[in-house]
PDB file of all heavy atoms in Angstrom:
ATOM      1  N   PRO T 773       1.252  13.611  16.116  1.00 72.00           N
ATOM      2  CA  PRO T 773       2.700  13.431  16.256  1.00 72.00           C
ATOM      3  C   PRO T 773       3.453  14.762  16.381  1.00 72.00           C
ATOM      4  O   PRO T 773       4.481  14.963  15.745  1.00 72.00           O
ATOM      5  CB  PRO T 773       3.064  12.713  14.958  1.00 72.00           C
ATOM      6  CG  PRO T 773       2.089  13.251  13.963  1.00 72.00           C
ATOM      7  CD  PRO T 773       0.806  13.486  14.738  1.00 72.00           C
ATOM      8  N   GLY T 775       5.903  17.626  17.028  1.00 72.00           N
ATOM      9  CA  GLY T 775       7.331  17.597  17.281  1.00 72.00           C
ATOM     10  C   GLY T 775       8.060  16.490  16.543  1.00 72.00           C
ATOM     11  O   GLY T 775       9.278  16.425  16.562  1.00 72.00           O
ATOM     12  N   VAL T 781      10.003   9.751  10.950  1.00 89.00           N
ATOM     13  CA  VAL T 781       9.060   8.813  10.347  1.00 89.00           C
ATOM     14  C   VAL T 781       9.778   7.999   9.273  1.00 89.00           C
ATOM     15  O   VAL T 781       9.633   6.768   9.210  1.00 89.00           O
ATOM     16  CB  VAL T 781       7.846   9.557   9.749  1.00 89.00           C
ATOM     17  CG1 VAL T 781       6.960   8.605   8.964  1.00 89.00           C
ATOM     18  CG2 VAL T 781       7.055  10.259  10.837  1.00 89.00           C
ATOM     19  N   GLN T 783      12.861   7.194   9.057  1.00 94.00           N
ATOM     20  CA  GLN T 783      13.756   6.220   9.694  1.00 94.00           C
ATOM     21  C   GLN T 783      12.981   4.994  10.171  1.00 94.00           C
ATOM     22  O   GLN T 783      13.431   3.861  10.007  1.00 94.00           O
ATOM     23  CB  GLN T 783      14.476   6.900  10.856  1.00 94.00           C
ATOM     24  CG  GLN T 783      15.804   6.396  11.229  1.00 94.00           C
ATOM     25  CD  GLN T 783      16.741   6.068  10.070  1.00 94.00           C
ATOM     26  OE1 GLN T 783      16.761   6.668   8.994  1.00 94.00           O
ATOM     27  NE2 GLN T 783      17.513   5.063  10.280  1.00 94.00           N
ATOM     28  N   ARG T 824      16.309   4.034  -1.683  1.00 96.00           N
ATOM     29  CA  ARG T 824      17.403   4.881  -2.159  1.00 96.00           C
ATOM     30  C   ARG T 824      17.008   5.793  -3.325  1.00 96.00           C
ATOM     31  O   ARG T 824      17.810   6.625  -3.748  1.00 96.00           O
ATOM     32  CB  ARG T 824      18.586   4.019  -2.588  1.00 96.00           C
ATOM     33  CG  ARG T 824      19.251   3.300  -1.431  1.00 96.00           C
ATOM     34  CD  ARG T 824      20.558   2.638  -1.843  1.00 96.00           C
ATOM     35  NE  ARG T 824      20.406   1.619  -2.863  1.00 96.00           N
ATOM     36  CZ  ARG T 824      20.296   0.310  -2.620  1.00 96.00           C
ATOM     37  NH1 ARG T 824      20.323  -0.127  -1.381  1.00 96.00           N
ATOM     38  NH2 ARG T 824      20.182  -0.550  -3.606  1.00 96.00           N
ATOM     39  N   GLN T 829      11.821   9.411  -2.018  1.00 93.00           N
ATOM     40  CA  GLN T 829      12.056  10.560  -1.132  1.00 93.00           C
ATOM     41  C   GLN T 829      11.053  11.678  -1.427  1.00 93.00           C
ATOM     42  O   GLN T 829      10.499  12.282  -0.494  1.00 93.00           O
ATOM     43  CB  GLN T 829      13.490  11.079  -1.291  1.00 93.00           C
ATOM     44  CG  GLN T 829      14.557  10.076  -0.905  1.00 93.00           C
ATOM     45  CD  GLN T 829      14.429   9.621   0.532  1.00 93.00           C
ATOM     46  OE1 GLN T 829      14.171  10.412   1.432  1.00 93.00           O
ATOM     47  NE2 GLN T 829      14.585   8.332   0.764  1.00 93.00           N
ATOM     48  N   SER T 846      -1.594  13.812  12.066  1.00 89.00           N
ATOM     49  CA  SER T 846      -1.791  12.388  12.346  1.00 89.00           C
ATOM     50  C   SER T 846      -1.745  11.619  11.034  1.00 89.00           C
ATOM     51  O   SER T 846      -2.130  12.137   9.986  1.00 89.00           O
ATOM     52  CB  SER T 846      -3.142  12.164  13.017  1.00 89.00           C
ATOM     53  OG  SER T 846      -3.189  12.828  14.255  1.00 89.00           O
ATOM     54  N   VAL T 878      -3.305  -4.045   1.743  1.00 94.00           N
ATOM     55  CA  VAL T 878      -2.201  -4.976   1.537  1.00 94.00           C
ATOM     56  C   VAL T 878      -2.661  -6.353   1.978  1.00 94.00           C
ATOM     57  O   VAL T 878      -3.529  -6.488   2.845  1.00 94.00           O
ATOM     58  CB  VAL T 878      -0.905  -4.570   2.290  1.00 94.00           C
ATOM     59  CG1 VAL T 878      -0.380  -3.254   1.769  1.00 94.00           C
ATOM     60  CG2 VAL T 878      -1.110  -4.513   3.782  1.00 94.00           C
ATOM     61  N   HIS T 886     -10.290 -16.257  -6.384  1.00 93.00           N
ATOM     62  CA  HIS T 886     -10.507 -14.906  -6.922  1.00 93.00           C
ATOM     63  C   HIS T 886     -11.336 -14.926  -8.202  1.00 93.00           C
ATOM     64  O   HIS T 886     -12.131 -14.012  -8.439  1.00 93.00           O
ATOM     65  CB  HIS T 886      -9.179 -14.165  -7.120  1.00 93.00           C
ATOM     66  CG  HIS T 886      -8.267 -14.771  -8.128  1.00 93.00           C
ATOM     67  ND1 HIS T 886      -8.226 -14.360  -9.419  1.00 93.00           N
ATOM     68  CD2 HIS T 886      -7.364 -15.773  -8.020  1.00 93.00           C
ATOM     69  CE1 HIS T 886      -7.336 -15.060 -10.080  1.00 93.00           C
ATOM     70  NE2 HIS T 886      -6.799 -15.940  -9.246  1.00 93.00           N
ATOM     71  N   LEU T 889     -14.959 -15.172  -7.174  1.00 95.00           N
ATOM     72  CA  LEU T 889     -15.375 -13.910  -6.542  1.00 95.00           C
ATOM     73  C   LEU T 889     -15.586 -12.815  -7.582  1.00 95.00           C
ATOM     74  O   LEU T 889     -16.554 -12.061  -7.506  1.00 95.00           O
ATOM     75  CB  LEU T 889     -14.357 -13.484  -5.491  1.00 95.00           C
ATOM     76  CG  LEU T 889     -14.268 -14.373  -4.252  1.00 95.00           C
ATOM     77  CD1 LEU T 889     -13.061 -13.997  -3.400  1.00 95.00           C
ATOM     78  CD2 LEU T 889     -15.546 -14.281  -3.442  1.00 95.00           C
ATOM     79  N   GLU T 891     -16.411 -13.260 -10.669  1.00 95.00           N
ATOM     80  CA  GLU T 891     -17.636 -13.576 -11.413  1.00 95.00           C
ATOM     81  C   GLU T 891     -18.859 -13.035 -10.678  1.00 95.00           C
ATOM     82  O   GLU T 891     -19.739 -12.418 -11.283  1.00 95.00           O
ATOM     83  CB  GLU T 891     -17.755 -15.090 -11.628  1.00 95.00           C
ATOM     84  CG  GLU T 891     -16.800 -15.614 -12.676  1.00 95.00           C
ATOM     85  CD  GLU T 891     -16.823 -17.134 -12.786  1.00 95.00           C
ATOM     86  OE1 GLU T 891     -17.688 -17.796 -12.154  1.00 95.00           O
ATOM     87  OE2 GLU T 891     -15.950 -17.670 -13.496  1.00 95.00           O
ATOM     88  N   GLU T 914     -14.791  -2.507  -0.737  1.00 89.00           N
ATOM     89  CA  GLU T 914     -15.478  -1.346  -1.318  1.00 89.00           C
ATOM     90  C   GLU T 914     -16.972  -1.622  -1.423  1.00 89.00           C
ATOM     91  O   GLU T 914     -17.795  -0.770  -1.102  1.00 89.00           O
ATOM     92  CB  GLU T 914     -14.878  -1.023  -2.695  1.00 89.00           C
ATOM     93  CG  GLU T 914     -15.331   0.314  -3.264  1.00 89.00           C
ATOM     94  CD  GLU T 914     -16.642   0.229  -4.013  1.00 89.00           C
ATOM     95  OE1 GLU T 914     -16.961  -0.840  -4.565  1.00 89.00           O
ATOM     96  OE2 GLU T 914     -17.368   1.248  -4.049  1.00 89.00           O
ATOM     97  N   VAL T 917     -18.519  -1.400   2.072  1.00 86.00           N
ATOM     98  CA  VAL T 917     -18.607  -0.016   2.515  1.00 86.00           C
ATOM     99  C   VAL T 917     -19.747   0.708   1.813  1.00 86.00           C
ATOM    100  O   VAL T 917     -20.512   1.449   2.434  1.00 86.00           O
ATOM    101  CB  VAL T 917     -17.260   0.723   2.282  1.00 86.00           C
ATOM    102  CG1 VAL T 917     -17.402   2.213   2.476  1.00 86.00           C
ATOM    103  CG2 VAL T 917     -16.183   0.160   3.190  1.00 86.00           C
TER     104      VAL T 917
END
Side-chain angles (χ1 to χ4, degrees):
V781 172
Q783 208 42 33
R824 293 190 298 264
Q829 298 301 318
S846 298
V878 297
H886 64 95
L889 292 170
E891 286 174 8
E914 191 274 332
V917 169

